[in-house]
Every structure is written in C-alpha cells, then in structure tokens.
Amino acid sequence: MRVTSSSSSSSSRKEECEENNEFFLERLREALADDDDDDENDAGSSRVHTTGEFFESCKRDMGNAHGRKGGGELMEAVVRVKTTREVENIVRACAEFKKPVVTRGAGTGLEGGCVAYFGGVVLDVSLLKTMSMDEMQRTATVGAGVLKNELNTFLEPYGFIFGPDPSSNPSVGGMASTGGSGLSTLKYGTSKENIVSMKVVTPKGECIETRRNVRKSSTGYELNALFLGAEGTLGVITELTVKLFPIPKTRVGAVVQFETVRDAAETVVLARNANLETLLRCEMLNSEGVQVSNVVFKTKMIEAPTLFLEFVDSKLPDEGGYERAKADYDRFIELATSKNCRKSTIQFAKNADELDSIWEARRGCYLGAMRYRGIQLGTHKKEKVYVGDVCVPISKLADSIANAERLFKRARFPCVMCCHIADGNYHCLIPFNDDNEKELHKLEEELVNAALDVGGVASGEHGVGVGKMKHIVREHGEAHIDIQRSIKKALDPLNIMNPGKVISWTSPSSSSSSL
C-alpha cells in the first residue's frame, strides 16, 4: 500500500486549487474577449483585476456596521464589464465553476450588499454608461452604471430630470437594487416607482426584459417588481428605462426652526395632509445634526430642530409659478406656527438657489458625522458611523422620532438625525468605535424594534445587505421569508447570485449551514 504524507497531500490539494483558480480566471478573460463589441485596444484581460488598488477598493462599501468582521477578503477577482453580453458570459462562467457573483455599481451602499464576503467575482458595472431618451414617452434608457448626477446632466439640455435624489450620487442600477430614493420622494416617488423596465441577466446567464416601455401592461407576472430591491440576489441589472419629469422653472425655499423634534414632525404630518402640490423637499435635522453641519461645513444655522423646505412649479415665476409656490409656503408656515415654530428665525428664499449651500450640508450629513468629533477634538480623525434607516407610518412619526431621541439619550450616544421626514424615513447617525460597538448594536436593536412595533420597517431605502438581515424575519414573519427563500432557490438553485445577502439560504430552524 502506498502511503502519502499529510503534508504532501495538503500541498497537492493546494496546487490543484491554484490550478483550478487560474483556469477560472482565464475563463473570465475569455468571457470578455468573446464580446465582438470589445475595443481592439482594450483587451478583456485588462478588465479582470486580481490585485492592485482598484481590486482592494472593491472589498468594502461605505458602511461601517454590517455586523461582520472583515470585508471581501475572499474575493477572487473584480471584473469590469462594458456590455450586457459580457455580463451574460461572466455569469455563465461563474455558474460553470459555481462561483459567487456580487454586483457592484458606485459602491455607495451602507449594508454590505456589494461586498463579496463569500468569495467569487465582484461584477463591476460602472462602465455600463449608455444613455438615450424618448421625449415622447418621457423616459430615458440607461446603463446600470450611470450615476444619478450623470443622468441629470445628460437630461438637462432636454429640460428633464430623473426625480429620485439620494444624497450619495449612486448608480441608477444600485438605486433600483436597494430602493435608494433620497430627498425628493414626496413629489416624485421612490426609485422603485420610477423604474419602467429593466434588462436583467439571470443566474443562467440569459438576458430578459422585465416588461415593455408602455404605460399599462397586464400580461403575466410583474417581473419588474421581483427584481427591484433584490440587491443582485436574483440576477444582474444591466439596463434600466426610467420615468422623467420636467425641470422645475420656479424654486423657492425656507428654513424653519422648532423647539422639539416632535413639534417639527407634527407640522410635517399636518403638511402631508394639506395637499401642498408644489412641496418638493421636506427634510429635517435635529439639534445635533445642525451642530454637525455648522462644525464640518462652516454653516451658521441655529442649533435647533430644523426643517428644510423647497417648493417648485413647472411654470416660470412670472407665469404663476411663484404665486403657487409661495401660497403653499404660506400655508406651511401657518401649520408650523400652530406647532410652536420659531417665527422670528424663519428664513425664506425667493430663489431657492440661495439655499443650495445648506442643501449640500444636508446631503453631507453622513460624511459630516464621520468627521465631526475629530474636528471638535482637533485630531481630524474620521470615526465609524452607524446609519439607521427606519421608516414608519406618517401617523406614528411624531411619537416614533421623539422616542428615538429618548433612546439615544438613555444610551448616552450622540444623536445625529437627518430625516426624509415627509416620508416617515429617518436616519439616526451614530459615531462609534471598537470599544462601544456592542452597546451600539444594542441601541440599534431598540431603534428598529420600536419602529417595527408601530408598523414600520427596518430599512426605508438602504436595503438589507447583511447589515439588516437580523431584522427582517421579525418584520415580515417566517412564512413571508420562506416565500422569498423559495423564489431565490427556484431562480438561483446554485446560490451564486450575491449569496448570504437579504435572506439566508436555509431557515433558522434548519440544522444545515447557511450563507
């Protein structure tokens, strides 16, 4: 009998593994080279990254509190694709080798959704940049890697905008994948509501169109809804057709302070029910949020709970646009006055461009929270920041947001709130370090549970990723999650599409291991 030492056997397995991995990488390079549209001067192999700065940058997203140690350390390659056909080829190669496929757009997510925790390939779609528009349909068709601001720059000469407005300038594909919607949902709706149709590459490497670009469609299951918010766990979005809106010709704005967040929230509830048609944005910072903006962005706002308002109209100011917007503003101030707003400090801008610097400070709330204490202490070090994303029914908003502040104070964490308050969606930003991360997650649990108890959700727009997985069974119930799990297994039986995200592969009651 031939006896093989354990060391030589281990060495042999390692060599075999390395050989298989190199064979897989070569298959990826061939998958890009197979595309007839590939530039002669851009060999596919140059877009398969296994080392280097770009490769390392794809091991993380912008979040800090996913509840997992480490990042995408097991990631084997980052592949930058230029066409839907290349995506089909790469997915087929990954299916052949049973390797995970993790789609990445701009990398601005906060819940670990684009991080390859379980190895495999990160499919970078940032080069999918095609853009066209249909003026008669009022739609644009764009590659999944097109950034929100890039799309609006393209649309501006035509007099249109893409309505949803997340602060981070994400890719349009990423917005569809997670539901990121931002500051203008009140008027234009969520990202999901603005997606007409998509091209999606399935786990088999086949490209489908979810629906046609028509106003009505009643021909079978609504696949658009199925892939929206799926975070790449069911397929890879490569192209999207989106709704467009006319660029407003009149903009007016205001900043209104209150004594408490409850007063501000109760004003917003009243305004939501007052049918103020020109109200585009209604955002809130609490006192600490204003303080962060003042320190980091050098603004000089009064440190009190503050509403930021923008009213718009499709007509020019002298054609009735200003009159309509100002009438809605006046009505809003009547409602705010009934809830103890500080009338003497109200700032009104006849031209909302005057408030753009303050809006930029609002957009930078997350980055501001990271830098805030470092600037205060003179160290200028960035801190980790947890970002909450609960959304509650408008009828429960005032109680919910006031309770959130109480929970912060009890836990002795700084409470920085920046809120899409007219949607019932508020972000609690919590600076933390390794020493108090355990206490942070206890506070997170309390905040989410409090939202769920009043009929809210754990995430309004950031998605689930890995960071919110622990909350969704309580939100939906095990039977609901089992249906989602059945869909996942039916479409992706190999579990290669962003495994370990959104829902677990097995139910908690199963003894099998799960991703």
Side-chain angles (χ1 to χ4, degrees), residues 111 178-179 181 190 192 386-394 396-397 400 404 420 423-428 444-464 467-477 480-481 484:
E111 301 298 344
T178 63
S181 300
T190 66
K192 293 177 183 179
Y386 164 81
V387 184
D389 184 39
V390 298
C391 188
V392 299
I394 287 295
K396 306 293 184 182
L397 176 61
S400 180
H420 309 306
D423 308 326
N425 181 204
Y426 57 92
H427 303 315
C428 295
E444 175 201 10
E445 196 83 15
E446 289 184 297
L447 287 166
V448 173
N449 285 341
L452 297 181
D453 286 343
V454 297
V457 298
S459 179
E461 60 175 357
H462 293 165
V464 176
K468 295 286 191 293
M469 284 179 68
K470 58 189 175 185
H471 303 301
I472 65 170
V473 173
R474 176 157 187 251
E475 178 179 325
H476 293 299
H480 180 124
I481 299 300
Q484 294 195 44

Side-chain angles (χ1 to χ4, degrees), residues 370-387:
M370 293 172 66
R371 296 173 54 199
Y372 171 58
R373 290 203 291 196
I375 290 175
Q376 273 197 322
L377 297 172
T379 64
H380 295 278
K381 289 183 178 180
K382 289 184 179 179
E383 287 189 291
K384 297 178 183 178
V385 174
Y386 164 81
V387 184

Side-chain angles (χ1 to χ4, degrees), residues 299-427:
T299 52
K300 296 180 180 179
M301 295 181 285
I302 297 168
E303 292 179 5
T306 302
L307 292 181
F308 302 85
L309 310 172
E310 184 170 338
F311 301 84
V312 300
D313 195 87
S314 60
K315 299 291 185 182
L316 290 168
D318 58 0
E319 294 177 352
Y322 177 78
E323 183 181 351
R324 278 187 291 274
K326 181 63 162 56
D328 280 351
Y329 161 77
D330 289 340
R331 177 60 179 141
F332 192 101
I333 296 304
E334 286 179 19
L335 300 173
T337 301
S338 73
K339 293 297 177 182
N340 306 311
C341 75
R342 298 183 179 182
K343 285 195 71 173
S344 62
T345 65
I346 293 173
Q347 295 173 261
F348 174 72
K350 191 172 182 179
N351 183 339
D353 291 346
E354 299 170 23
L355 296 178
D356 279 350
S357 62
I358 291 178
W359 279 115
E360 287 308 306
R362 162 61 188 88
R363 292 178 191 279
C365 199
Y366 173 58
L367 296 177
M370 293 172 66
R371 296 173 54 199
Y372 171 58
R373 290 203 291 196
I375 290 175
Q376 273 197 322
L377 297 172
T379 64
H380 295 278
K381 289 183 178 180
K382 289 184 179 179
E383 287 189 291
K384 297 178 183 178
V385 174
Y386 164 81
V387 184
D389 184 39
V390 298
C391 188
V392 299
I394 287 295
S395 61
K396 306 293 184 182
L397 176 61
D399 286 341
S400 180
I401 206 163
N403 180 57
E405 274 207 330
R406 283 196 297 271
L407 290 174
F408 269 90
K409 289 176 181 176
R410 190 176 70 190
R412 297 183 179 178
F413 273 94
C415 177
V416 179
M417 285 185 177
C418 54
C419 316
H420 309 306
I421 194 165
D423 308 326
N425 181 204
Y426 57 92
H427 303 315

Side-chain angles (χ1 to χ4, degrees), residues 473 478 482 485 504 506-514:
V473 173
E478 189 60 51
D482 276 342
R485 188 176 290 116
S504 60
T506 57
S507 65
S509 58
S510 171
S511 58
S512 304
S513 62
S514 63

Side-chain angles (χ1 to χ4, degrees), residues 2-18:
R2 181 179 174 183
V3 178
T4 305
S5 70
S6 61
S7 60
S8 65
S9 176
S10 175
S11 176
S12 176
R13 283 196 300 272
K14 182 179 178 182
E15 290 175 4
E16 183 180 352
C17 182
E18 290 175 351

